[in-house]
Amino acid sequence: MPTSAGATDSSRLSGEAVQAPSAPERVLRFNRTARLVHWVQAVTFLLLLLTGLAISLSSIEAVVGHRAILREIHLVTAFLFVFGPAVVALAGNFPSITEDAHEVESWSREDIAWIRSPKLEPDPLSPPPGRFNAGQKLNAVFTLYCVVAFGITGLILWQNRRFPFPIVSQANLIHQYLTYIALAVFLGHLYLSVIHPSTRRSLSGILSGGVDARWAAQHHPLWRPMPAVESRLQLQTALRSCVLLLLGLESALLLVRVGFEWLGANVTDPATKMIYRFSGLPGTLQHAATG
Protein backbone atom coordinates (compact mmCIF):
# COMPACT_ATOMS: atom_id res chain seq x y z
CA MET A 1 0.00 0.00 0.00
CA PRO A 2 1.58 3.37 -0.94
CA THR A 3 2.58 5.65 1.87
CA SER A 4 1.18 9.17 2.01
CA ALA A 5 3.36 12.26 1.90
CA GLY A 6 2.52 13.11 5.50
CA ALA A 7 3.45 9.63 6.69
CA THR A 8 6.70 9.81 4.77
CA ASP A 9 7.60 13.16 6.35
CA SER A 10 6.80 11.91 9.83
CA SER A 11 8.85 8.75 9.31
CA ARG A 12 11.81 10.83 8.20
CA LEU A 13 11.50 13.04 11.23
CA SER A 14 11.30 10.05 13.53
CA GLY A 15 14.08 8.13 11.85
CA GLU A 16 16.77 10.79 11.42
CA ALA A 17 17.44 14.39 12.36
CA VAL A 18 16.73 16.90 9.64
CA GLN A 19 18.86 20.04 9.88
CA ALA A 20 17.77 23.28 8.28
CA PRO A 21 20.52 25.21 6.54
CA SER A 22 22.06 27.54 9.10
CA ALA A 23 22.85 31.16 8.44
CA PRO A 24 26.58 31.93 8.07
CA GLU A 25 28.32 33.35 11.12
CA ARG A 26 30.59 35.52 8.97
CA VAL A 27 30.05 37.15 5.58
CA LEU A 28 32.52 38.40 3.01
CA ARG A 29 32.99 42.16 3.20
CA PHE A 30 36.06 42.66 0.98
CA ASN A 31 37.79 40.17 -1.33
CA ARG A 32 41.55 39.86 -1.83
CA THR A 33 41.74 42.51 -4.53
CA ALA A 34 39.76 45.08 -2.55
CA ARG A 35 41.88 44.48 0.53
CA LEU A 36 45.14 44.83 -1.39
CA VAL A 37 43.92 48.03 -3.09
CA HIS A 38 43.05 49.46 0.32
CA TRP A 39 46.40 48.60 1.89
CA VAL A 40 48.44 49.91 -1.04
CA GLN A 41 46.54 53.19 -0.70
CA ALA A 42 46.89 53.31 3.09
CA VAL A 43 50.60 52.41 3.31
CA THR A 44 51.65 54.80 0.55
CA PHE A 45 49.59 57.61 2.12
CA LEU A 46 51.32 57.13 5.47
CA LEU A 47 54.77 57.07 3.85
CA LEU A 48 53.95 60.23 1.92
CA LEU A 49 52.67 61.90 5.07
CA LEU A 50 55.75 61.04 7.12
CA THR A 51 58.31 61.92 4.46
CA GLY A 52 56.40 65.03 3.39
CA LEU A 53 56.25 66.39 6.93
CA ALA A 54 59.93 65.58 7.43
CA ILE A 55 60.82 67.52 4.26
CA SER A 56 58.54 70.54 4.75
CA LEU A 57 58.94 71.14 8.51
CA SER A 58 62.44 72.23 9.41
CA SER A 59 62.09 71.05 13.03
CA ILE A 60 61.35 67.48 11.91
CA GLU A 61 63.92 67.56 9.12
CA ALA A 62 66.61 68.59 11.62
CA VAL A 63 65.88 65.49 13.68
CA VAL A 64 65.49 63.02 10.80
CA GLY A 65 68.10 64.41 8.40
CA HIS A 66 68.92 62.87 5.00
CA ARG A 67 66.72 65.27 3.04
CA ALA A 68 67.80 63.88 -0.34
CA ILE A 69 66.89 60.31 0.65
CA LEU A 70 63.57 61.44 2.10
CA ARG A 71 62.80 63.27 -1.14
CA GLU A 72 63.48 60.20 -3.28
CA ILE A 73 61.35 58.00 -1.01
CA HIS A 74 58.57 60.60 -1.21
CA LEU A 75 58.66 60.70 -5.03
CA VAL A 76 58.77 56.91 -5.50
CA THR A 77 55.94 56.48 -2.98
CA ALA A 78 53.94 59.18 -4.77
CA PHE A 79 54.14 57.17 -7.98
CA LEU A 80 52.77 54.10 -6.17
CA PHE A 81 50.11 56.21 -4.42
CA VAL A 82 48.76 57.50 -7.73
CA PHE A 83 49.08 54.38 -9.91
CA GLY A 84 49.37 51.49 -7.45
CA PRO A 85 45.68 50.95 -6.55
CA ALA A 86 44.55 51.07 -10.18
CA VAL A 87 47.28 48.65 -11.27
CA VAL A 88 46.40 46.23 -8.46
CA ALA A 89 42.71 46.42 -9.35
CA LEU A 90 43.41 45.68 -13.02
CA ALA A 91 45.70 42.79 -12.12
CA GLY A 92 43.20 41.22 -9.71
CA ASN A 93 39.43 40.86 -9.59
CA PHE A 94 38.65 44.01 -11.53
CA PRO A 95 34.87 43.34 -11.97
CA SER A 96 34.45 43.36 -8.18
CA ILE A 97 36.19 46.73 -7.97
CA THR A 98 33.88 48.17 -10.63
CA GLU A 99 30.91 46.88 -8.63
CA ASP A 100 32.23 48.66 -5.55
CA ALA A 101 32.71 51.85 -7.58
CA HIS A 102 29.15 51.61 -8.91
CA GLU A 103 27.90 51.18 -5.34
CA VAL A 104 29.83 54.25 -4.20
CA GLU A 105 28.55 56.48 -7.00
CA SER A 106 24.93 55.33 -6.59
CA TRP A 107 23.23 57.79 -4.25
CA SER A 108 19.67 57.59 -2.96
CA ARG A 109 17.35 59.70 -0.82
CA GLU A 110 18.31 57.51 2.10
CA ASP A 111 21.96 58.52 1.67
CA ILE A 112 21.05 62.21 1.69
CA ALA A 113 18.93 61.66 4.79
CA TRP A 114 21.85 59.84 6.46
CA ILE A 115 24.17 62.80 5.78
CA ARG A 116 21.66 65.16 7.37
CA SER A 117 21.46 62.96 10.45
CA PRO A 118 24.38 60.51 10.55
CA LYS A 119 24.11 57.67 13.03
CA LEU A 120 26.87 55.23 13.92
CA GLU A 121 24.57 53.07 16.04
CA PRO A 122 21.82 50.95 14.44
CA ASP A 123 18.58 52.93 14.55
CA PRO A 124 15.29 51.59 13.18
CA LEU A 125 14.10 55.16 12.62
CA SER A 126 17.10 56.16 10.47
CA PRO A 127 17.36 55.32 6.73
CA PRO A 128 18.76 51.78 6.31
CA PRO A 129 22.10 51.74 4.42
CA GLY A 130 23.22 49.17 1.87
CA ARG A 131 26.74 47.83 1.64
CA PHE A 132 28.19 51.32 2.17
CA ASN A 133 26.55 54.12 4.09
CA ALA A 134 26.75 57.72 2.89
CA GLY A 135 29.76 58.49 5.10
CA GLN A 136 31.75 55.63 3.59
CA LYS A 137 30.78 56.75 0.10
CA LEU A 138 31.94 60.31 0.84
CA ASN A 139 35.23 58.95 2.18
CA ALA A 140 35.80 56.94 -1.02
CA VAL A 141 35.03 59.95 -3.23
CA PHE A 142 37.27 62.19 -1.11
CA THR A 143 40.11 59.65 -1.40
CA LEU A 144 39.79 59.59 -5.19
CA TYR A 145 39.89 63.37 -5.44
CA CYS A 146 42.88 63.45 -3.07
CA VAL A 147 44.80 61.10 -5.36
CA VAL A 148 44.12 63.35 -8.35
CA ALA A 149 44.85 66.62 -6.51
CA PHE A 150 47.99 65.32 -4.81
CA GLY A 151 49.21 63.88 -8.11
CA ILE A 152 48.76 67.12 -10.08
CA THR A 153 50.08 69.50 -7.41
CA GLY A 154 52.94 67.16 -6.56
CA LEU A 155 53.99 67.00 -10.21
CA ILE A 156 53.98 70.80 -10.42
CA LEU A 157 56.11 71.06 -7.29
CA TRP A 158 58.49 68.37 -8.54
CA GLN A 159 58.94 70.03 -11.92
CA ASN A 160 58.56 73.56 -10.59
CA ARG A 161 60.94 75.11 -13.14
CA ARG A 162 58.59 74.10 -15.96
CA PHE A 163 55.63 76.11 -14.62
CA PRO A 164 55.02 79.81 -13.92
CA PHE A 165 55.69 80.90 -10.37
CA PRO A 166 52.02 81.72 -9.52
CA ILE A 167 50.96 78.19 -10.51
CA VAL A 168 53.75 76.67 -8.42
CA SER A 169 52.79 78.85 -5.46
CA GLN A 170 49.11 77.85 -5.70
CA ALA A 171 50.06 74.18 -6.09
CA ASN A 172 52.22 74.36 -2.97
CA LEU A 173 49.36 75.94 -1.00
CA ILE A 174 46.83 73.33 -2.16
CA HIS A 175 49.29 70.50 -1.48
CA GLN A 176 49.88 71.65 2.09
CA TYR A 177 46.27 72.36 3.04
CA LEU A 178 45.06 69.14 1.44
CA THR A 179 47.64 67.22 3.48
CA TYR A 180 46.19 68.47 6.75
CA ILE A 181 42.60 67.86 5.60
CA ALA A 182 43.49 64.33 4.46
CA LEU A 183 45.25 63.70 7.77
CA ALA A 184 42.13 64.73 9.69
CA VAL A 185 39.95 62.46 7.55
CA PHE A 186 42.43 59.61 7.96
CA LEU A 187 42.43 59.97 11.76
CA GLY A 188 38.63 59.95 11.78
CA HIS A 189 38.62 56.84 9.60
CA LEU A 190 41.15 55.21 11.92
CA TYR A 191 39.06 56.06 14.99
CA LEU A 192 35.91 54.53 13.52
CA SER A 193 37.76 51.42 12.34
CA VAL A 194 39.79 50.70 15.48
CA ILE A 195 38.34 52.48 18.52
CA HIS A 196 34.63 53.26 18.21
CA PRO A 197 32.70 50.37 19.85
CA SER A 198 29.91 50.23 17.26
CA THR A 199 32.02 50.33 14.11
CA ARG A 200 35.37 48.79 15.03
CA ARG A 201 34.05 45.31 14.26
CA SER A 202 34.27 46.25 10.59
CA LEU A 203 38.09 46.21 10.82
CA SER A 204 38.21 42.44 10.29
CA GLY A 205 36.68 42.98 6.84
CA ILE A 206 39.76 44.78 5.59
CA LEU A 207 42.15 42.41 7.41
CA SER A 208 40.74 38.98 6.64
CA GLY A 209 37.78 39.81 4.40
CA GLY A 210 34.98 38.58 6.65
CA VAL A 211 32.78 40.34 9.21
CA ASP A 212 30.23 39.09 11.72
CA ALA A 213 26.93 38.37 9.94
CA ARG A 214 24.83 39.83 12.76
CA TRP A 215 26.85 43.03 12.75
CA ALA A 216 26.41 43.31 8.98
CA ALA A 217 22.65 42.79 9.27
CA GLN A 218 22.39 45.51 11.92
CA HIS A 219 24.60 48.15 10.29
CA HIS A 220 23.94 47.40 6.60
CA PRO A 221 20.44 45.87 6.48
CA LEU A 222 19.97 46.41 2.72
CA TRP A 223 23.20 44.59 1.87
CA ARG A 224 22.88 40.96 0.77
CA PRO A 225 26.35 39.48 1.37
CA MET A 226 27.83 36.10 0.59
CA PRO A 227 29.35 33.73 3.19
CA ALA A 228 32.96 34.60 4.04
CA VAL A 229 34.49 31.81 1.98
CA GLU A 230 37.10 32.65 -0.63
CA SER A 231 38.45 30.05 -3.00
CA ARG A 232 42.08 29.11 -2.53
CA LEU A 233 44.41 31.18 -4.67
CA GLN A 234 45.56 29.04 -7.61
CA LEU A 235 49.14 29.20 -8.90
CA GLN A 236 47.96 30.04 -12.42
CA THR A 237 45.85 32.93 -11.12
CA ALA A 238 48.71 34.24 -9.00
CA LEU A 239 51.14 34.13 -11.94
CA ARG A 240 48.62 35.88 -14.18
CA SER A 241 48.16 38.64 -11.59
CA CYS A 242 51.93 39.07 -11.21
CA VAL A 243 52.39 39.44 -14.97
CA LEU A 244 49.53 41.95 -15.20
CA LEU A 245 50.93 43.83 -12.22
CA LEU A 246 54.35 44.19 -13.86
CA LEU A 247 52.78 45.24 -17.17
CA GLY A 248 50.63 47.79 -15.38
CA LEU A 249 53.57 49.32 -13.53
CA GLU A 250 55.61 49.45 -16.73
CA SER A 251 52.73 51.14 -18.55
CA ALA A 252 52.42 53.70 -15.75
CA LEU A 253 56.15 54.40 -15.88
CA LEU A 254 55.99 54.86 -19.64
CA LEU A 255 53.03 57.23 -19.27
CA VAL A 256 54.94 59.33 -16.73
CA ARG A 257 57.99 59.34 -19.00
CA VAL A 258 56.00 60.60 -21.97
CA GLY A 259 54.69 63.41 -19.78
CA PHE A 260 58.21 64.24 -18.61
CA GLU A 261 59.45 64.25 -22.19
CA TRP A 262 56.72 66.74 -23.04
CA LEU A 263 57.65 68.92 -20.05
CA GLY A 264 61.37 68.63 -20.71
CA ALA A 265 62.08 67.20 -17.28
CA ASN A 266 65.59 67.14 -15.89
CA VAL A 267 66.91 63.63 -16.50
CA THR A 268 69.74 64.17 -14.00
CA ASP A 269 67.24 64.11 -11.14
CA PRO A 270 67.65 60.70 -9.41
CA ALA A 271 63.94 59.85 -9.34
CA THR A 272 63.46 60.94 -12.95
CA LYS A 273 66.54 58.99 -13.98
CA MET A 274 65.03 55.86 -12.42
CA ILE A 275 61.79 56.39 -14.35
CA TYR A 276 63.73 56.74 -17.60
CA ARG A 277 65.81 53.65 -16.82
CA PHE A 278 62.81 51.38 -16.34
CA SER A 279 60.37 52.85 -18.84
CA GLY A 280 61.87 52.70 -22.31
CA LEU A 281 63.92 50.80 -24.83
CA PRO A 282 67.45 52.02 -25.61
CA GLY A 283 67.40 54.84 -28.13
CA THR A 284 63.76 55.82 -27.58
CA LEU A 285 62.32 59.05 -26.21
CA GLN A 286 65.71 60.69 -25.79
CA HIS A 287 66.36 64.41 -25.43
CA ALA A 288 69.09 66.64 -24.09
CA ALA A 289 69.08 67.07 -20.33
CA THR A 290 67.76 70.40 -19.11
CA GLY A 291 68.43 72.26 -15.91
Side-chain angles (χ1 to χ4, degrees):
M1 182 177 181
T3 308
S4 64
T8 303
D9 293 340
S10 60
S11 64
R12 288 178 179 174
L13 291 175
S14 60
E16 59 183 11
V18 178
Q19 295 183 352
S22 59
E25 295 182 358
R26 297 182 67 78
V27 292
L28 185 63
R29 182 71 172 162
F30 298 107
N31 60 23
R32 293 189 190 94
T33 302
R35 298 198 300 270
L36 188 55
V37 167
H38 175 275
W39 286 113
V40 168
Q41 195 86 72
V43 171
T44 53
F45 172 78
L46 286 175
L47 280 175
L48 286 172
L49 179 66
L50 294 175
T51 55
L53 290 175
I55 292 172
S56 59
L57 299 179
S58 57
S59 57
I60 299 179
E61 183 185 351
V63 175
V64 178
H66 306 289
R67 179 182 177 86
I69 297 177
L70 289 172
R71 177 180 178 275
E72 300 311 314
I73 295 175
H74 191 81
L75 294 176
V76 172
T77 307
F79 172 82
L80 296 175
F81 177 74
V82 173
F83 294 102
V87 171
V88 170
L90 290 170
N93 189 351
F94 184 67
S96 69
I97 301 300
T98 58
E99 290 178 6
D100 291 349
H102 178 71
E103 179 77 20
V104 167
E105 68 180 9
S106 298
W107 287 73
S108 63
R109 294 180 180 178
E110 287 76 13
D111 291 325
I112 303 301
W114 192 95
I115 292 177
R116 292 174 179 172
S117 180
K119 295 184 182 298
L120 299 178
E121 302 290 341
D123 185 358
L125 300 179
S126 63
R131 185 182 180 192
F132 303 114
N133 61 39
Q136 293 167 328
K137 292 180 180 181
L138 284 176
N139 181 70
V141 172
F142 174 76
T143 301
L144 177 61
Y145 278 102
C146 275
V147 171
V148 176
F150 276 131
I152 294 175
T153 56
L155 176 64
I156 294 173
L157 294 176
W158 184 2
Q159 302 296 327
N160 56 80
R161 297 183 182 181
R162 276 79 193 166
F163 297 93
F165 177 77
I167 293 180
V168 176
S169 179
Q170 289 296 321
N172 183 50
L173 190 65
I174 294 172
H175 206 81
Q176 289 184 357
Y177 277 106
L178 189 58
T179 298
Y180 297 122
I181 295 173
L183 175 59
V185 173
F186 171 77
L187 292 176
H189 180 71
L190 194 64
Y191 167 76
L192 294 175
S193 301
V194 180
I195 300 176
H196 194 276
S198 179
T199 55
R200 65 186 180 188
R201 296 174 71 179
S202 64
L203 180 62
S204 62
I206 209 64
L207 293 175
S208 63
V211 294
D212 182 74
R214 289 173 296 181
W215 177 89
Q218 292 173 355
H219 288 262
H220 303 274
L222 298 183
W223 176 38
R224 298 294 178 264
M226 300 294 292
V229 178
E230 286 189 281
S231 60
R232 184 174 299 178
L233 188 62
Q234 301 295 325
L235 178 60
Q236 182 179 0
T237 304
L239 292 175
R240 169 188 171 276
S241 295
C242 290
V243 171
L244 291 177
L245 187 66
L246 292 175
L247 290 175
L249 290 174
E250 179 65 22
S251 299
L253 284 169
L254 183 60
L255 179 64
V256 173
R257 177 171 178 169
V258 170
F260 279 12
E261 288 281 346
W262 178 69
L263 286 174
N266 181 13
V267 296
T268 61
D269 176 82
T272 309
K273 188 183 297 184
M274 183 187 65
I275 291 174
Y276 276 59
R277 182 181 300 118
F278 290 103
S279 63
L281 298 173
T284 62
L285 296 175
Q286 298 294 329
H287 67 84
T290 55

